[in-house]
């Protein structure tokens, strides 16, 4: 177990930002930590990095509650982006490595290697203040890799990057995983989690609302049957597990069914009741819908 969060609560005065939260990350996994703005993601990651103390509960890194020791093996990208603006890109990357105990010469060599690998060699001697926001962010990300951490904790790594760089970052995270690293990253959009994660943890108002794979989330999502009929479908209510009938367009209805209901039985009920069936099928829930359902995100967060 690389990370174990056990019944952690964080209060700021009267306000409870994280409530009785438990989850873990195993070696070699990529885990997405999802939740809308203010859900408590950054607060949780700060507690893992021992930047904030927990109010109650405990955090273990690499099987130990000695987080100061454990965090030396972690590469942490904080949410607030900020680098010494007067320093050169190469020096920053090497400097962060030295802070984590990498000897000077080796840190510099590793910085060169990282810049080359991510096509940024031409910026090596540029001061941070001369770089675009996205490139400065990439340098900050490279700086958490200098000491070859076993575990990467990235707080909103995709925000502020254009789609091309978001894809590069996805590839980078995938490569690091292939090389044996473990990754936990927070995000408030589903798309990266969908492509990258083995598992994800969703929080809402500081509480865990889901933990599992994307397939498990789909299974837990209440499915609806889409029925197209020119007839009035209301006699179906209460038959074969149909709990609600919602019109969703001209002659189209979404049927909510109780757990364990049999689709065939719903279809048979339609025929029995003389309801003409023009089309009939299960609704495929998009991951955005699942996210809205669990995390309670507003439409404005959908992009
Ligand atoms: N130092 C603090 N003092 C008081 N309240 C705080 C403090 N830090 C965070 N909070 C509150 O805790 C809640 C969770 O904040 P947090 O930054 O952890 O959310 P988040 O999920 O990371 O959101 P975002 O995606 O917007 O970064 C918010 O309501 C925030 O205002």
């Amino acid at each position: 177990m690389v990370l174990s969060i056990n019944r952690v609560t964080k209060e700021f005065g009267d306000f409870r930002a994280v409530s009785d939260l438990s989850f873990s990350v195993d070696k070699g996994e990529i885990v997405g930590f999802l939740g809308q703005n203010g859900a408590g993601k950054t607060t949780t990651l700060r507690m893992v990095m021992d930047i904030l103390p927990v109010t109650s509960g405990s955090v273990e890194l690499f099987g130990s509650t000695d987080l100061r020791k454990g965090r030396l093996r972690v590469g942490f990208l904080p949410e607030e982006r900020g680098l010494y603006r007067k320093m050169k890109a190469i020096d920053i990357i090497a400097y962060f490595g030295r802070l984590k105990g990498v000897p000077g010469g080796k840190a510099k060599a590793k910085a060169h290697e990282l810049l080359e690998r991510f096509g940024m060699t031409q910026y090596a001697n540029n001061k941070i203040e001369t770089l675009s926001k996205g490139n400065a962010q990439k340098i900050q990300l490279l700086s958490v890799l200098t000491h070859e951490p076993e575990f990467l904790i990235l707080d909103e790594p995709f925000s502020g990057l254009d789609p091309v760089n978001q894809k590069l970052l996805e590839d980078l995270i995938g490569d690091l995983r292939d090389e044996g690293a473990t990754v936990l990253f927070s995000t408030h959009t589903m798309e990266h989690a969908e492509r990258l994660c083995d598992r994800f943890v969703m929080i809402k108002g500081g509480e865990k609302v889901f933990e599992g794979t994307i397939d498990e989330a789909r299974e837990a999502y209440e499915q609806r049957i889409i029925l197209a009929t020119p007839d009035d479908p209301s006699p179906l209510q209460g038959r074969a597990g149909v709990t609600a009938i919602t019109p969703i367009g001209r002659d189209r209805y979404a049927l909510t069914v109780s757990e364990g209901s049999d689709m065939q039985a719903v279809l048979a009920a339609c025929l029995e009741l003389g309801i003409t069936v023009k089309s009939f099928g299960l609704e495929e829930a998009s991951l955005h819908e699942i996210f809205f359902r669990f995390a309670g995100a507003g439409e404005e967060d959908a992009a």
Side-chain angles (χ1 to χ4, degrees), residues 12 15 17 35-44 46 79 155-156 188 203:
F12 295 108
F15 179 70
Q36 64 184 128
N37 292 130
K41 304 179 297 293
T42 298
T43 303
T44 303
R46 285 185 179 149
E79 188 184 40
D155 197 355
E156 298 277 358
H188 60 273
I203 59 168

Side-chain angles (χ1 to χ4, degrees), residues 16-19 38-40 203-207 295:
R16 186 170 277 211
V18 175
S19 184
I203 59 168
K204 178 183 179 182
E207 290 182 25

